[in-house]
Amino acid sequence: MKLRIEVCSYTLLGSGEGSGLIDADIVFDEFGIPYIPARRVKGILKEIAQEVCEILGISEKIVGKVFGEGGFLEGKLRFENLYIENYSEIKDELEQLKNTNEWRNLLHRENIVNYFTTLRYQTAIESGVAKEGSLRTFRVLKPHFVFIGKIKRKDLLSPKESAILYLAVRNFKRIGTSRNRGYGEVNASIISDGMDTEKAIEILLK
């Protein structure tokens, strides 16, 4: 299966580390192309699947079977990092262009990073004045980029397991830091899953 995520707003998808003057940076490949780590996506989908079970009033045991239980049970699914749409073709083209005199000096890693991202700043305010030393700099993804990643199955999913995965992806709307402040809006879908919301709910409630 393939998971598709479209970034619909500026997204504060921090790597957990800073770099230079940036307090929270994004994960990039060697070219400067951003990607979304598999563990982060899997963690969010698992949380959403648990919420779906709670809303429908069904057991959460199915969530553990699909996504695993930390350190105790390995799930049926293995997620891979999500890369920009047409990532392989883009990488190949960058490799070729870097070997030409015309483009060599333009395709620095920092230029590629700046194409996909921008900087946002945040500071604390006290009595109407910026608090000294509180300025923070974050790198955010620009909206409208699409990321694709594979979901591999160790075993076949039962109809109910397929349904809970579908509903988790269908309800995946936010990712990253400051999700409640307008950042990190996404549109997620499983490519060619053959399921719809009504059918998935019906299967789970049987």
Side-chain angles (χ1 to χ4, degrees):
M1 295 180 287
K2 286 186 178 180
L3 177 62
R4 179 186 187 274
I5 294 180
E6 180 184 3
V7 178
C8 300
S9 70
Y10 289 102
T11 299
L12 237 170
L13 194 64
S15 64
E17 299 179 357
S19 59
L21 298 176
I22 298 175
D23 297 288
D25 212 338
I26 289 173
V27 182
F28 299 96
D29 70 1
E30 68 272 23
F31 293 96
I33 303 173
Y35 64 91
I36 303 176
R39 288 184 63 181
R40 185 162 306 175
V41 172
K42 180 181 178 182
I44 292 174
L45 287 176
K46 184 176 180 180
E47 288 179 11
I48 297 172
Q50 291 169 334
E51 292 172 359
V52 169
C53 290
E54 185 177 345
I55 291 169
L56 296 179
I58 62 175
S59 171
E60 292 185 12
K61 288 183 179 179
I62 189 173
V63 177
K65 291 180 180 179
V66 175
F67 295 95
E69 296 287 355
F72 299 102
L73 176 68
E74 188 176 2
K76 288 187 175 183
L77 300 179
R78 185 167 69 83
F79 290 76
E80 295 188 353
N81 295 330
L82 281 80
Y83 291 93
I84 203 78
E85 195 171 29
N86 301 318
Y87 176 69
S88 295
E89 292 86 348
I90 292 170
K91 277 207 316 177
D92 291 343
E93 189 169 350
L94 286 174
E95 286 280 14
Q96 293 175 19
L97 290 173
K98 280 187 174 182
N99 291 325
T100 64
N101 292 328
E102 183 180 358
W103 290 93
R104 184 179 301 157
N105 295 325
L106 295 175
L107 293 176
H108 291 298
R109 190 175 188 274
E110 194 62 32
N111 290 339
I112 297 172
V113 167
N114 291 337
Y115 173 76
F116 289 102
T117 68
T118 188
L119 299 180
R120 286 291 183 268
Y121 305 92
Q122 180 178 308
T123 189
I125 303 295
E126 286 186 351
S127 303
V129 179
K131 185 178 179 181
E132 186 177 353
S134 67
L135 180 64
R136 295 291 181 269
T137 304
F138 306 95
R139 198 190 306 271
V140 296
L141 280 171
K142 295 176 182 177
H144 308 307
F145 288 111
V146 173
F147 293 81
I148 306 289
K150 290 181 181 179
I151 305 176
K152 294 186 176 180
R153 291 170 286 201
K154 283 188 56 186
D155 300 297
L156 288 176
L157 298 181
S158 70
K160 288 192 173 185
E161 290 166 347
S162 294
I164 197 68
L165 173 62
Y166 172 83
L167 289 176
V169 172
R170 186 72 179 80
N171 288 282
F172 186 179
K173 301 297 183 185
R174 297 276 178 180
I175 191 172
T177 308
S178 296
R179 294 192 293 270
N180 298 324
R181 297 183 180 181
Y183 288 93
E185 181 182 350
V186 299
N187 183 20
S189 60
I190 295 179
I191 298 174
S192 301
D193 51 43
M195 185 81 70
D196 61 52
T197 301
E198 186 176 341
K199 180 180 178 181
I201 293 174
E202 181 183 346
I203 290 171
L204 287 170
L205 292 179
K206 280 183 180 179

